Amino acid sequence: MVKQTLNATDLIALFNSWKLLFAEQRDYLIALDGKVGDSDLGITMSKSFAAAAEALEGEGEGAGISKLLRTAGATMARTAPSTMGTLTATGFLRASKAVEDAAELGTTEVAAFWRAYRNGVAERGKANVGDKTLLDVLDPIANSLDRLAAANKDLHHALLETAGVAEQALEATKSMVAQHGKAAAFQEKTKGLQDAGATVGYLLIRRMADFVSEP
């Protein structure tokens, strides 16, 4: 049966699912990042999500959604203090504040989650949409969920539609020129390449959509 809300127990399970996902995608992300970066993205993501999932298991469902997200962000910041690790951690820390009083996450709360996540990454990374970064997927995700929440779409359909939007946004990064990090040194050579950071954003929302769709 599909999920129309996510509670604290679901959130712990979701982080475990993200942990497995980034373990599976570790080598792919290393290869993708290695084209114009320093090849550590797959290591950073697999390490940080493994640590976060373990920390959330330790906290337990009684901690509540906001505290679990705060724990995830703080754990990631300690475990993987690289640029991407810090941005991902910031996203979860900001999201924890956005859903401070929520016992469950429906479409409205998930929209607030991703809006705060996007804003945190934008501020911390000092990036703009179009700079060929994680933000180029996070911004469409947040905008899509805001629109679907306003239209009273249920969580299952909102996440599936938003995952499709994120996939298109990821594809669009191929035509952009990198403006940040080591990739910026390659400038025009980054054209035609899918952004590695944006790939992480897509994988996060895709797995979230799959998670609520599981029978």
Side-chain angles (χ1 to χ4, degrees):
M1 186 175 177
V2 299
K3 296 178 178 65
Q4 297 300 0
T5 60
L6 297 172
N7 59 25
T9 302
D10 295 324
L11 188 63
I12 292 170
L14 175 59
F15 267 87
N16 192 56
S17 187
W18 275 332
K19 175 188 81 171
L20 296 174
L21 169 68
F22 285 108
E24 293 164 3
Q25 299 295 327
R26 179 180 180 275
D27 290 345
Y28 169 66
L29 289 173
I30 286 172
L32 194 61
D33 190 36
K35 291 179 180 179
V36 290
D38 49 17
S39 305
D40 68 346
L41 184 61
I43 297 166
T44 296
M45 291 296 101
S46 59
K47 187 178 176 182
S48 60
F49 275 95
E54 184 179 346
L56 265 60
E57 289 279 2
E59 287 276 10
E61 63 187 64
I65 287 174
S66 181
K67 188 178 180 186
L68 288 172
L69 289 171
R70 194 158 57 248
T71 296
T75 301
M76 289 175 153
R78 286 195 307 272
T79 306
S82 63
T83 300
M84 193 63 179
T86 299
L87 291 176
T88 307
T90 300
F92 286 118
L93 289 169
R94 291 294 187 88
S96 75
K97 294 178 182 176
V99 296
E100 191 78 58
D101 302 317
E104 291 186 326
L105 305 178
T107 308
T108 298
E109 292 79 16
V110 169
F113 172 111
W114 284 105
R115 190 186 321 122
Y117 197 111
R118 174 202 58 196
N119 292 345
V121 167
E123 290 167 22
R124 191 66 187 259
K126 294 181 173 56
N128 296 305
V129 174
D131 285 352
K132 194 168 183 145
T133 68
L134 169 61
L135 190 61
D136 289 302
V137 162
L138 292 183
D139 190 61
I141 287 173
N143 291 338
S144 173
L145 286 168
D146 274 340
R147 175 176 55 81
L148 294 169
N152 294 314
K153 288 283 187 178
D154 63 69
L155 184 62
H156 171 234
H157 289 100
L159 283 173
L160 285 177
E161 184 172 332
T162 298
V165 168
E167 186 173 12
Q168 294 174 353
L170 177 60
E171 180 68 21
T173 65
K174 292 180 180 178
S175 65
M176 298 174 185
V177 175
Q179 304 295 327
H180 295 270
K182 292 192 175 181
F186 293 86
Q187 287 285 305
E188 290 298 321
K189 288 183 180 179
T190 63
K191 263 196 172 180
L193 298 177
Q194 177 178 306
D195 183 65
T199 303
V200 169
Y202 167 69
L203 289 172
L204 285 171
I205 196 70
R206 176 79 263 170
R207 180 52 61 96
M208 193 182 223
D210 291 344
F211 182 82
V212 302
S213 302
E214 289 169 0

